[in-house]
Amino acid sequence: MTGKLPFPGASPVSVALKHLNSPMPYPRDFRSDIPQSIENVMIRALAKNPDDRYESVTEMLNDLMTALNPDRANEERLIIAEPLPDKERTEEDLEKTIKMAPINNDMGSLREQKMTHSSKETHDEVEKKSGAKKWLTISGILILLITAGLIIGITVLPKLFYVSNVQVPDVTGQTYETAKQTLMNRKLKVIRTDRVSETIASGKVISQSPGKGVEVKENTEISLSVSKGASKVAMDNYVGYSKETVEEALKDAGYKDIVWHEEESTSIPVDQIIRQNPVRGTKVIPSKTILELTYSTGAPQATVPNLLGKTKAEASELLENRGLVADFTEGDYSDEVAEGSVLEQDPDAGSKVNQGAEINVSLSKGSELKPREIDQPIKVVYPNKGDHSEEPSPIRVQIYYTDANHTEFPFVDEEITETKTYTIPFTINPDEKGSYRVLIDEKEQKTGTVDYPRSR
C-alpha cells in the first residue's frame, strides 16, 4: 500500500528488534490518499497482540468488503494499545531473579574436625586413590555410551524419522471423491474449499495447491477448490422499459440466449417491453438461461392501398376492407383524372398506418374550366300601331351588356321601324354570368342573364 517497509534495518536482528519493540508506523503517514477505513484494516491485522487481530479470515474479508462503503468515509483512526517497549519497562519487569536456598556451610564444625592421627592420614590417602579409580571407570563408561548414542543417532534415527517425498498428481477436473482418493493413495492429506464456477460442473475440482508435479513430503496438505456450480441470481425486471434500454443493459448479462418477440398493442407504446420469461425475481443461472422478451409494436398495422384514379365509391370500399377510414376533400382540376375520381392521397400507397387511421383523399374537379364565348340573340319587337297607311315611326333601341370583358357596355344604340334580332357576343367566366338590358326610347323594356355553359 505504501511502497515502503514498516521497519527498515541494517540486519535481520535489528529489524526483528524493531518488530518487538517499536510501534507499527501508520500507512497514511506515508500515503495520505489511503482511505482511513483501509488503514484501520491494516492496523488491526498487524496488531502486536494476537488478541487484537481478526479472529478469522472471514472477519477480515467482511471488513475489507465494506471498507469503501460511503458510510465509512469519515471513519476515525483505529487506536490499539501497543505493549510497552523494553526501555519503558521497569527493572523489575525485565529482571526476574530466581533465588536459591543458601548452602549450609558450618565453618566452625569444619575447623573442629582435625586429623591428628597419622593412621588417619594414611587411611585418607588410600580412600583418595580408590575414588580416583572409580571416577576413571565411570568416565570411560560414559564416553562409551555417548559414542554409541552418536552412532545410533547417525545411522538409525534418520531412518526412523525420515519422511519420503511425494510428487503431487494432477487431479483438476476430477470429481472430488476421485481426487481425494488419488491423493490419499499417495499419503497426502486433503483440504476442501467450495467455490462458485460458471464453467466447471458442480462437484469437480477447479484447482489445486500445490500444483501438478510439485514434490512434497508425505502427509502434506493439498488444498482443492471444488466447484459448487454456477451461482444463481434473481431475474431483474425489464417490463415497462424500452427495447433499446433493455438491449443496452443485457449486453454483458451472460444469458445463454435472448429471444425477442413482437406483439401489437393499442394501449402500450411502441418498443416498450410487455412481458418477460423468466419473470422478475426468478432464481436463474444466466449462462444456462434463455431470456424471452416481448415488446409492443403499437396498434395493429394496415397497408395503405393505391387509390389514385379510383372513383369515390371504389376508394371507400378499398379503405374499409383494411380497417381504414376515408376523408374525402375536393381537389384541383386535372386533365388526366376524371372529375370525382381520386387525384391525390395521404399517406402514399404502401405506407404502414394504425388500423382505424384516416386517409386523406382528394377528388379531381376534372379539366379546368375556361371562359366561354356565347352568342346570345336578343329580339326587339317593333310595336304594331295598327295604321299601315302612314309611314312607321322609328323607335330608339339601346342595348347594354356585361360579361367577363365588359361592364354595361353599349352594344347598340339605333332607331328601328321594324322588329329586329341582335346577337350579342358574350364572354362568360366559369361559375359567372353575363347580363343585358334593352331600352326602348330610353325606357328599360327587357333584362336578362346568360349562364356559363356546363357542357364540354
Side-chain angles (χ1 to χ4, degrees):
M1 292 296 291
T2 64
K4 298 179 181 295
L5 294 173
F7 299 111
S11 67
V13 174
S14 65
V15 174
L17 289 175
K18 289 181 180 180
H19 273 288
L20 290 173
N21 299 324
S22 300
M24 186 194 80
Y26 292 116
R28 281 173 57 83
D29 291 345
F30 298 101
R31 277 188 63 181
S32 59
D33 60 332
I34 296 176
Q36 185 59 60
S37 55
I38 296 296
E39 185 190 64
N40 288 345
V41 173
M42 300 172 70
I43 292 172
R44 186 171 179 187
L46 298 175
K48 295 188 184 298
N49 187 347
D51 293 336
D52 293 328
R53 301 175 198 155
Y54 292 100
E55 292 184 0
S56 66
V57 70
T58 301
E59 184 182 0
M60 183 176 180
L61 175 62
N62 292 336
D63 200 7
L64 278 172
M65 291 179 69
T66 63
L68 298 182
N69 287 357
D71 58 352
R72 296 185 63 180
N74 299 317
E75 194 167 285
E76 295 183 359
R77 174 174 281 173
L78 178 63
I79 302 299
I80 295 178
E82 297 282 355
L84 292 173
D86 289 346
K87 64 181 180 179
E88 296 182 11
R89 297 180 188 175
T90 63
E91 185 176 351
E92 183 179 355
D93 293 328
L94 297 173
E95 296 181 4
K96 295 185 178 179
T97 305
I98 299 176
K99 298 181 179 180
M100 300 181 65
I103 299 175
N104 186 12
N105 186 10
D106 193 346
M107 298 301 293
S109 59
L110 289 176
R111 285 191 298 270
E112 293 177 356
Q113 295 176 3
K114 294 183 178 180
M115 307 299 290
T116 57
H117 198 274
S118 60
S119 61
K120 179 66 174 177
E121 291 179 356
T122 303
H123 177 72
D124 289 342
E125 290 177 0
V126 173
E127 289 293 332
K128 287 180 181 180
K129 292 178 180 180
S130 175
K133 290 180 180 180
K134 290 180 180 180
W135 170 245
L136 289 174
T137 302
I138 294 171
S139 298
I141 294 172
L142 287 174
I143 291 172
L144 289 174
L145 290 174
I146 291 172
T147 303
L150 290 172
I151 293 172
I152 293 172
I154 293 172
T155 58
V156 178
L157 291 180
K159 294 182 180 180
L160 293 177
F161 294 101
Y162 177 75
V163 179
S164 301
N165 287 340
V166 178
Q167 194 174 66
V168 179
D170 182 13
V171 295
T172 56
Q174 299 180 9
T175 64
Y176 172 71
E177 295 301 328
T178 301
K180 179 181 179 181
Q181 190 60 51
T182 300
L183 295 172
M184 291 177 63
N185 290 343
R186 300 205 182 188
K187 296 182 180 180
L188 298 172
K189 295 181 179 180
V190 178
I191 298 177
R192 172 174 178 164
T193 302
D194 290 334
R195 199 174 78 194
V196 171
S197 174
E198 302 293 334
T199 56
I200 307 300
S202 178
K204 289 192 175 183
V205 177
I206 302 172
S207 61
Q208 65 182 75
S209 180
K212 172 186 176 182
V214 177
E215 285 197 358
V216 298
K217 297 293 183 181
E218 290 181 355
N219 296 320
T220 296
E221 293 179 341
I222 308 299
S223 296
L224 300 181
S225 292
V226 182
S227 171
K228 58 180 181 181
S231 60
K232 288 188 175 183
V233 297
M235 178 65 65
D236 288 330
N237 176 52
Y238 302 111
V239 176
Y241 293 92
S242 70
K243 182 175 182 287
E244 181 180 0
T245 300
V246 173
E247 282 179 326
E248 184 67 26
L250 292 176
K251 275 186 178 179
D252 301 315
Y255 288 103
K256 182 178 180 181
D257 196 9
I258 299 173
V259 180
W260 293 95
H261 301 289
E262 297 179 353
E263 184 174 305
E264 296 176 338
S265 174
T266 57
S267 59
I268 299 176
V270 175
D271 279 349
Q272 183 170 310
I273 306 299
I274 301 173
R275 72 181 66 88
Q276 67 182 69
N277 182 42
V279 298
R280 173 186 182 180
T282 305
K283 295 286 187 178
V284 299
I285 299 173
S287 60
K288 298 181 180 180
T289 301
I290 297 176
L291 175 59
E292 296 183 83
L293 297 166
T294 303
Y295 65 96
S296 170
T297 56
Q301 298 283 293
T303 303
V304 178
N306 184 11
L307 306 175
L308 299 180
K310 301 289 191 296
T311 66
K312 183 176 181 180
E314 291 171 340
S316 294
E317 184 178 0
L318 283 172
L319 293 175
E320 185 178 346
N321 290 340
R322 303 198 183 192
L324 302 174
V325 178
D327 180 16
F328 291 106
T329 58
E330 186 179 52
D332 294 330
Y333 294 100
S334 173
D335 294 333
E336 289 79 24
V337 179
E339 183 179 1
S341 295
V342 178
L343 179 64
E344 294 177 344
Q345 67 178 76
D346 184 30
D348 294 332
S351 301
K352 294 286 186 180
V353 295
N354 295 338
Q355 286 190 2
E358 283 191 349
I359 306 301
N360 297 318
V361 182
S362 297
L363 300 177
S364 171
K365 292 193 294 186
S367 297
E368 184 176 6
L369 298 177
K370 298 178 181 179
R372 299 283 298 276
E373 293 184 355
I374 301 172
D375 292 333
Q376 179 67 37
I378 299 174
K379 185 178 181 180
V380 177
V381 178
Y382 182 82
N384 185 4
K385 296 184 178 181
D387 187 358
H388 298 285
S389 59
E390 297 179 2
E391 286 290 328
S393 299
I395 61 174
R396 184 182 179 186
V397 177
Q398 294 173 296
I399 299 176
Y400 298 90
Y401 76 99
T402 299
D403 65 0
N405 300 322
H406 308 89
T407 302
E408 285 291 307
F409 183 80
F411 177 71
V412 68
D413 186 352
E414 66 178 1
E415 292 182 345
I416 63 173
T417 58
E418 59 183 353
T419 299
K420 187 175 181 178
T421 300
Y422 299 94
T423 301
I424 302 175
F426 280 94
T427 300
I428 310 298
N429 287 328
D431 300 325
E432 293 183 0
K433 294 181 178 182
S435 64
Y436 62 89
R437 291 190 307 134
V438 179
L439 285 72
I440 303 295
D441 295 334
E442 297 183 353
K443 292 182 181 179
E444 187 175 274
Q445 295 294 317
K446 184 179 182 179
T447 62
T449 59
V450 180
D451 293 333
Y452 183 88
R454 289 293 178 181
S455 60
R456 300 292 176 121

